[in-house]
Amino acid sequence: MSQALSTALSSPSNRHRVQFHDQLTEDGGEQSLLEALTVGLTDSPRWISPKHFYDHRGSELFDRICQQPEYYPTRTEESILEQSVEAIAERVGGDIDLIELGSGASHKIRLLLDALRPHHYVGVDISRDFLLESTRRLADDYPWLAVHALCADFTAPFTLPGLEGDARPVVFFPGSSIGNFTPREAGELLTRVHDQLPPGGGLLIGVDRIKDRDRLEAAYNDAAGVTREFNLNLIHRLRDELGAGVSPEDFEHLAFYNEAASRIEMHLISQRDQSFSLDDQIITLAAGEHIHTENSWKYSREGFEKLAGHAGFTLRDHWCDDAQLFDVHYFERPA
Ligand code: AVI
């Protein structure tokens, strides 16, 4: 594995070993947070990449978002996976390794493991501690499975760990995380995944569909305020990790559907005139000024299949819920 630090980790409760591969060094991670936030906050209009939501606290908050009644994507995708698991296993076939992009709490993979019976599981996530905790739990619960944790930013090129044997790799990319990339970046990411797979390698991917504004906006404005707290986590990170003189009370959460662009937009709005320093720069925000923090693109079934087709994939199968809120597609790199 090039440049990757590979360490075997085990705990007394974890008879099975998690192979940990770090492609995001401590220094590199922190430096890039400072650089990335400085670049976005000095730009016009101001922005922060959504990948910076996911420190340990942000990952926990995201996990709680997934449990909110308004946030239909998680439970809808889970119900599709549960109901169609046998059909998925039949279509995907045996003798595989599973690689999950953005594995987070590794909940959804549990719906597939018994049916798919992969030789190896590789969880790929940017949040190191969260990744380790969830893959350790997975290794404890599935003693027959060889578990790897790859701490990497999959928005940039990364190297998959070498796995023993010659099982066919299948990438699992659930949760419509592909929607957090611009359609152009999504196409580039799909092309990178395609190019890294051998012929016959698979991609099982969950994608949120275009739907009515009310349902979409409710999902990003849950009544319990968890999405608001998740958005404000960026201000916590600015203050706690980068020493910026900011306070979460001075920002408000905004999420709305931009129908022309088929995307949910999230912003943080400055509640007063304020300035703070970051990396020797003074950032000055006027009351009412926005920081754009996330886009979540929604796709028609055909629109997404076209995007994956341009990346070189061939559609093998598709599953969705009765209300057609969410799609799970299975593509393969043609032989
Ligand atoms: C991870 N991603 C697909 C979520 C989404 O729906 O775009 C992130 C999220 N942001 C707010 N709520 C959930």
Side-chain angles (χ1 to χ4, degrees), residues 40 80 91 102 122-124 149 154-155 197 200 213 238 247 276 286 297 335:
I80 298 168
R91 173 58 74 182
V122 185
V124 185
F154 65 79
T155 65
L197 287 171
R213 171 185 297 276
L238 264 170
S247 165
F276 56 93
W297 267 271

Side-chain angles (χ1 to χ4, degrees), residues 20 24 51 53-60 102-105 123-135 149-154 237:
F20 178 53
L24 198 75
K51 71 182 176 190
F53 284 132
Y54 301 96
D55 64 347
H56 194 273
R57 180 172 182 271
S59 299
E60 280 179 350
S103 54
V124 185
D125 207 282
I126 197 168
S127 181
R128 183 182 289 104
D129 295 347
F130 203 73
L131 172 70
L132 274 170
E133 284 167 19
S134 52
T135 48
L150 171 58
C151 183
D153 174 4
F154 65 79
R237 294 198 76 185

Side-chain angles (χ1 to χ4, degrees), residues 92-158:
V92 170
D95 205 11
I96 60 161
D97 290 327
L98 265 182
I99 298 125
E100 181 175 7
L101 301 184
S103 54
S106 293
H107 285 319
K108 290 174 191 160
I109 198 70
R110 290 168 181 262
L111 302 171
L112 299 176
L113 285 174
D114 286 328
L116 291 182
R117 282 260 156 188
H119 298 288
H120 299 88
Y121 167 77
V122 185
V124 185
D125 207 282
I126 197 168
S127 181
R128 183 182 289 104
D129 295 347
F130 203 73
L131 172 70
L132 274 170
E133 284 167 19
S134 52
T135 48
R136 279 177 178 162
R137 277 196 302 270
L138 201 71
D140 278 344
D141 295 344
Y142 294 84
W144 50 266
L145 183 65
V147 178
H148 292 249
L150 171 58
C151 183
D153 174 4
F154 65 79
T155 65
F158 65 91

